[in-house]
Amino acid sequence: MSRTQVPPATAKAVRVAAGDLVRVIDVEGGQVGDVFAFTEAGTGAELTEHHSAAHTRAAIDRLFPAVGEAFATDRRRPILTLVEDTSPGEHDMLIPACDPARYAALGAPGHRSCAVNLREALDELGLSFAGPTPQPINVFMRVPVAEDGRLSRLTASSRPGDAVTLRAEVDCVVVVSACPQDLVRISDADLSPLAIETVHNGGNPA
């Protein structure tokens, strides 16, 4: 097993093989994480196929997978399966990754963002993605949908050590951003770290 620390407001990328487990851990509690996943086919440095929230919703007929269900790519292939969730189970695939334009609109130009974090994390592995920032898997993010369709953004209810565990269905690159959004309180009072644990060949995380 390997463990990668994701400092507050930054992101890290890990390579995993089909059958490996990836656990995303909220170290201190109350921290939203943006998770991105890309298939890694061939030897090229530019990634193309990626997790798609829209294709996942079409495949499972719900807003977010239940344990045992898979996230799909933009080519409608399973990429990750949710195999365990020790958190309260409140996650989101409706809200896009925060980006420079979002912070400029909030009066904070130059603020760190998950969109930029994603590119920086891929660059650390010598990889790139030329398309628009994919819709992330927003773990620990509370976005309830009211009967009239209105969305709310509530503070994360995850506790220290809460985690989601994903099984890679194909060789892929997983990026986890400890979301830097501190102007809208989706995370708890202070930004905090996340951690990524990877277990090769489908073992059980410690």
Side-chain angles (χ1 to χ4, degrees):
M1 183 186 73
S2 61
R3 183 180 175 102
T4 302
Q5 295 295 126
V6 185
T10 71
K12 294 294 181 182
V14 295
R15 281 186 167 98
V16 292
D20 289 353
L21 298 180
V22 181
R23 173 178 275 180
V24 181
I25 304 167
D26 188 353
V27 178
E28 297 180 11
Q31 175 62 48
V32 168
D34 285 32
V35 179
F36 305 88
F38 303 82
T39 65
E40 191 168 24
T43 58
E46 185 169 321
L47 304 171
T48 54
E49 185 178 4
H50 57 85
H51 161 259
S52 165
H55 290 85
T56 299
R57 290 193 295 267
I60 63 175
D61 293 325
R62 68 172 82 234
L63 292 177
F64 197 89
V67 171
E69 294 181 331
F71 299 88
T73 73
D74 56 325
R75 299 180 188 175
R76 299 184 186 271
R77 296 199 300 160
I79 184 169
L80 298 169
T81 296
L82 180 61
V83 297
E84 185 181 26
D85 184 359
T86 64
S87 78
E90 296 174 304
H91 311 290
D92 165 71
M93 289 196 306
L94 296 174
I95 303 301
C98 58
D99 54 29
R102 171 65 167 152
Y103 289 110
L106 291 171
H111 195 287
R112 291 199 64 84
S113 70
C114 287
V116 173
N117 284 353
L118 167 64
R119 311 290 174 164
E120 291 177 352
L122 291 177
D123 186 62
E124 288 183 2
L125 293 185
L127 300 170
S128 63
F129 178 70
T133 302
Q135 167 67 50
I137 302 165
N138 294 314
V139 294
F140 315 126
M141 185 171 181
R142 299 172 67 197
V143 184
V145 182
E147 288 187 4
D148 64 359
R150 183 170 294 276
L151 304 178
S152 299
R153 293 172 176 84
L154 305 182
T155 304
S157 62
S158 47
R159 303 149 302 200
D162 279 352
V164 295
T165 303
L166 310 164
R167 183 180 66 242
E169 301 301 334
V170 295
D171 295 350
C172 59
V173 176
V174 175
V175 180
V176 177
S177 175
C179 184
Q181 176 60 274
D182 55 2
L183 304 178
V184 177
R185 194 172 168 182
I186 58 171
S187 293
D188 211 346
D190 296 312
L191 300 179
S192 58
L194 299 174
I196 311 168
E197 287 182 352
T198 57
V199 180
H200 301 294
N201 300 317
N204 293 315

